Amino acid sequence: MNRHFPAGGLLAAALLASPAAEAAGDIPGNVSTRATLRITTSLTAGLLETSPDSDWYQVGLQKGQDYTVRFITRNIAAPAAATLRDPRQRRVGSASYNYYGDAGFEYRATATGTYFVDVAGEHDPDDPGARNYSVAVTFDCKDAPTTKCTLEPGRP
């Protein structure tokens, strides 16, 4: 399931204030990556330097826990996507770019281990140059009858 989030002022401020994952050079587009994401609502900024380019991040997930992968693009008029890969590098979820937008998807981890978030894209031939993105993996309440979340009366 793809989710689209409105691009608001707070989102833009978070995007601009987020730290770059690996400021000294390109992030590898494979399992050799040392770039990591923590489970947090804070966005990690990245840069697609070449065309095509792919940046992989390691992230530790726990079996049975629900997560959301968020992917935010700016000025990417060519194809771009964030893909979650399981510990065996198999694709388990993906969200395509939404020009000037915020997209994402839910995932319930089927195993505990190191997963990979693969951010990939190409440049628009009419507007060459590096492209910015932001990505985050957050805890989630599954949008389905199988959710594990509960509501407590009187609590926000």
Side-chain angles (χ1 to χ4, degrees):
M1 174 170 126
N2 279 346
R3 290 187 169 195
H4 296 276
F5 304 90
L10 289 175
L11 178 62
L15 174 66
L16 295 174
S18 62
E22 194 165 291
D26 190 28
I27 296 172
N30 56 49
V31 296
S32 72
T33 187
R34 292 186 180 195
T36 60
L37 294 174
R38 293 189 339 232
I39 308 301
T40 178
T41 57
S42 297
L43 297 164
T44 296
L47 190 64
L48 297 173
E49 294 89 353
T50 60
S51 184
D53 192 10
S54 178
D55 295 347
W56 282 33
Y57 297 86
Q58 297 180 25
V59 61
L61 303 184
Q62 299 294 314
K63 180 179 181 176
Q65 176 64 52
D66 295 321
Y67 300 93
T68 294
V69 177
R70 294 182 62 199
F71 175 55
I72 302 169
T73 60
R74 295 290 180 262
N75 294 324
I76 297 182
T83 300
L84 182 64
R85 298 181 183 278
D86 70 11
R88 291 199 248 170
Q89 303 162 45
R90 296 175 300 195
R91 180 178 179 235
V92 295
S94 186
S96 297
Y97 82 99
N98 183 10
Y99 192 75
Y100 284 109
D102 185 345
F105 60 93
E106 298 175 322
Y107 177 70
R108 179 172 286 165
T110 57
T112 295
T114 301
Y115 287 68
F116 300 92
V117 176
D118 170 8
V119 178
E122 299 178 16
H123 294 176
D124 181 343
D126 295 328
D127 186 17
R131 296 291 185 241
N132 297 309
Y133 66 84
S134 291
V135 65
V137 178
T138 63
F139 290 113
D140 188 37
C141 290
K142 193 152 186 81
D143 187 17
T146 59
T147 186
K148 294 182 178 184
C149 298
T150 58
L151 293 175
E152 295 181 33
R155 298 206 55 173

